Amino acid sequence: MADTGTASTSSEHDGSFTAKTYKRRWWILLVFSFNNCVQNAMYNTWPPVADALQIGFGWSDSFSAVMLLMYCTAGIIGTFPVMYSIDNIGVRHGMVLSTAVSVLCSALWLVGLPLRQTWLLALGSFLNGLGSTVTSSLPTVISTSWFSVSERTTATSIASMGYLGAAVAFFAGPYISGANVTASEVINKDTLPTEFVDQLQNGVLNILYFMTALTVVGFWFTIIYFPSQPPQCPSKAQTHPRESFWPGMKHLLSNGHFWKLTLAFNLPNGIFNSWIPFCSVSFRSLGVDEVTSGWIGFSALLISSLLSIPISWIADRFKRKLKLFLQLANGLALALYLILALIQRGCISISDHQLSIAVLYILSIGAATCINGFIPIYYELASECAFPVDESLACALLSTLNNVFGVVFFLLLLIPALALDSEWMMWTCVGACALAVPLLFFMKENYYRLDVDTACTQTDEEYRAVAS
């Protein structure tokens, strides 16, 4: 990659500082975002074909819940050891290890599925969760290390577009596998012809071949070129000394406003992104087949991921109004979830089936946009609130708590009574958004990192006094 770039100079009280951005930053962002998408696609491999797994392999919805549970458990266990290691070995080596683990995961899946060894499949999901601790924790590190202040939130949005990969999995499930399973076929699975069952089994294996190809491409992209940082910093804040791992962890744990923001982010986001892979299970009671549910999930995740870019671009123009963005988005998500819950409850009745499908599309896409479309703003505000703690540690704590909520959600799915009645999923989403309202209201914004970039003077001790 060429070293050409654009440079800008700003004078500080302690001398002259020259910020420089490089054209290669777009390659770094592309590779990081691609690998993030691949790992999220693997995370969402199993739930969209839950009905096909029931018929072809005799595995209930609990199997998909266990696979996602293993992923989230790995995220909880591995995030901080992995971040501590990256603090010592650098971002490049961390990304190489992360993508290599994804390749190993896909290999275990290819071996385990034909042999019907569910422990190999579960181990693969655990490894994928371990590898994803890197990509889920580093979006703001990539944007801060390579992009200028005016591009930072937009770059974070592209780096954190992992849910675009989950959207691809919704598409890959029914169409690469050919598993167009209806609700009536699940009910009458014991009477289906052997040829149809064999077709479903081969189709699920084809999905794994597709995922394997993606992991190999992502691994080689990372090997080809992915340095830990540019030769010259793109902003003044990037030159500011960060706290090391343990002091940074101590300050995060004592930062009350950071914890309010963390909970406000993870309650809606953790629950929604645990529910959306199982939307086919949730919508089954409304007479929606697996393919249609897959398209709803695909559309919701795809559109919300793409809309996060213009949303972040607007937020880049209103750097000190990020909390207001989040409050408006959470309020709208609460209203949309409530309507979805009332439809599933039967309090709102739509007699025309096609119209009800259209309403489910609109409400699901709207809710996904309000949740996933604003993830980059949560990341940026968390990094601002945590500064001078390293961005990777702040985002690692966000993603860890996200996995904790995912584990709780998937454990509930393993309870037979709750597995049979999916209505509780939607009401959990409503409650999560409702709890986020007071958390965002009482959370105080701090923009210390932005103050450094705009040449405002404030000591670390003054910042911590405000944050506490």
Side-chain angles (χ1 to χ4, degrees):
M1 295 287 174
D3 288 345
T4 57
T6 58
S8 60
T9 305
S10 59
S11 296
E12 301 288 337
H13 66 277
D14 58 349
S16 179
F17 168 73
T18 302
K20 187 173 184 180
T21 56
Y22 298 82
K23 292 180 180 178
R24 72 183 90 164
R25 69 190 187 278
W26 298 108
W27 168 261
I28 301 299
L29 188 61
L30 172 66
V31 173
F32 183 88
S33 183
F34 179 82
N35 282 305
N36 196 0
C37 287
V38 170
Q39 288 169 342
N40 273 270
M42 296 178 71
Y43 162 81
N44 196 33
T45 296
W46 305 101
V49 290
D51 292 346
L53 292 171
Q54 280 198 46
I55 297 172
F57 297 88
W59 297 337
S60 67
D61 294 335
S62 298
F63 168 79
S64 298
V66 169
M67 298 297 282
L68 271 60
L69 179 64
M70 295 299 293
Y71 174 97
C72 292
T73 302
I76 296 170
I77 296 172
T79 294
F80 292 108
V82 168
M83 287 301 102
Y84 181 78
S85 300
I86 289 179
D87 201 35
N88 294 290
I89 66 175
V91 173
R92 172 177 171 79
H93 291 100
M95 282 296 296
V96 170
L97 289 174
S98 173
T99 54
V101 166
S102 294
V103 174
L104 180 58
C105 164
S106 60
L108 288 174
W109 282 359
L110 286 175
V111 173
L113 186 69
L115 298 177
R116 301 200 180 194
Q117 296 295 315
T118 54
W119 69 272
L120 282 176
L121 302 177
L123 178 60
S125 290
F126 185 88
L127 290 176
N128 185 46
L130 204 59
S132 70
T133 58
V134 177
T135 52
S136 64
S137 301
L138 296 184
T140 53
V141 174
I142 298 299
S143 61
T144 304
S145 299
W146 290 90
F147 290 82
S148 64
V149 179
S150 62
E151 299 173 325
R152 203 151 57 196
T153 308
T154 306
T156 300
S157 72
I158 298 173
S160 58
M161 284 177 64
Y163 294 114
L164 186 61
V168 171
F170 273 115
F171 174 80
Y175 286 93
I176 292 180
S177 68
N180 187 0
V181 180
T182 63
S184 62
E185 287 171 335
V186 175
I187 297 172
N188 302 306
K189 58 184 177 182
D190 295 330
T191 62
L192 296 174
T194 305
E195 294 79 9
F196 181 71
V197 175
D198 292 340
Q199 180 186 352
L200 294 181
Q201 292 173 353
N202 292 329
V204 174
L205 187 60
N206 288 336
I207 297 174
L208 301 190
Y209 284 127
F210 174 70
M211 294 298 174
T212 301
L214 293 179
T215 60
V216 171
V217 170
F219 174 73
W220 281 111
F221 277 176
T222 307
I223 290 290
I224 289 170
Y225 185 78
F226 199 95
S228 292
Q229 60 187 20
Q232 195 165 325
C233 296
S235 67
K236 179 67 175 174
Q238 181 60 14
T239 66
H240 195 285
R242 301 298 200 273
E243 293 184 340
S244 57
F245 186 87
W246 293 115
M249 178 66 73
K250 179 182 176 181
H251 288 138
L252 279 183
L253 293 176
S254 62
N255 188 335
H257 295 298
F258 175 82
W259 276 102
K260 292 185 185 78
L261 179 65
T262 300
L263 288 171
F265 166 68
N266 282 297
L267 276 166
N269 186 276
I271 298 300
F272 170 78
N273 287 297
S274 299
W275 166 77
I276 193 68
F278 290 95
C279 68
S280 61
V281 177
S282 187
F283 292 153
R284 193 185 292 160
S285 61
L286 299 175
V288 181
D289 61 67
E290 192 172 60
V291 171
T292 303
S293 295
W295 273 110
I296 293 174
F298 170 78
S299 303
L301 292 177
L302 174 66
I303 294 174
S304 63
S305 296
L306 295 177
L307 285 179
S308 70
I309 299 176
I311 290 171
S312 299
W313 184 87
I314 295 170
D316 265 330
R317 273 70 193 160
F318 298 92
K319 283 289 189 182
R320 298 181 186 273
K321 299 293 183 182
L322 300 185
K323 176 181 169 179
L324 179 60
F325 276 81
L326 300 180
Q327 287 176 308
L328 293 174
N330 184 72
L332 183 56
L334 174 58
L336 295 171
Y337 276 138
L338 183 58
I339 296 172
L340 271 171
L342 291 174
I343 289 175
Q344 190 170 19
R345 182 70 174 171
C347 298
I348 298 177
S349 179
I350 303 174
S351 57
D352 185 88
H353 183 67
Q354 294 301 319
L355 179 59
S356 68
I357 296 296
V359 170
L360 290 178
Y361 266 102
I362 294 169
L363 294 175
S364 299
I365 291 170
T369 300
C370 292
I371 300 298
N372 289 346
F374 287 79
I375 289 176
I377 300 179
Y378 277 106
Y379 277 1
E380 284 297 309
L381 190 54
S383 297
E384 294 285 354
C385 191
F387 195 84
V389 175
D390 192 84
E391 288 88 350
S392 64
L393 191 56
C395 290
L397 194 54
L398 257 68
S399 63
T400 299
L401 196 58
N402 196 285
N403 284 320
V404 169
F405 283 112
V407 165
V408 173
F409 187 91
F410 299 135
L411 284 175
L412 290 173
L413 261 176
L414 296 180
I415 300 174
L418 294 180
L420 293 174
D421 182 10
S422 60
E423 190 177 328
W424 64 272
M425 299 183 192
M426 197 61 64
W427 286 108
T428 304
C429 293
V430 173
C433 282
L435 289 173
V437 171
L439 290 169
L440 285 172
F441 181 81
F442 290 108
M443 176 260 169
K444 185 174 182 179
E445 294 172 281
N446 293 294
Y447 294 97
Y448 183 47
R449 186 179 64 166
L450 184 59
D451 290 341
V452 172
D453 283 319
T454 54
C456 294
T457 59
Q458 185 182 32
T459 65
D460 291 355
E461 289 75 15
E462 290 172 332
Y463 164 70
R464 290 175 195 138
V466 172
S468 61

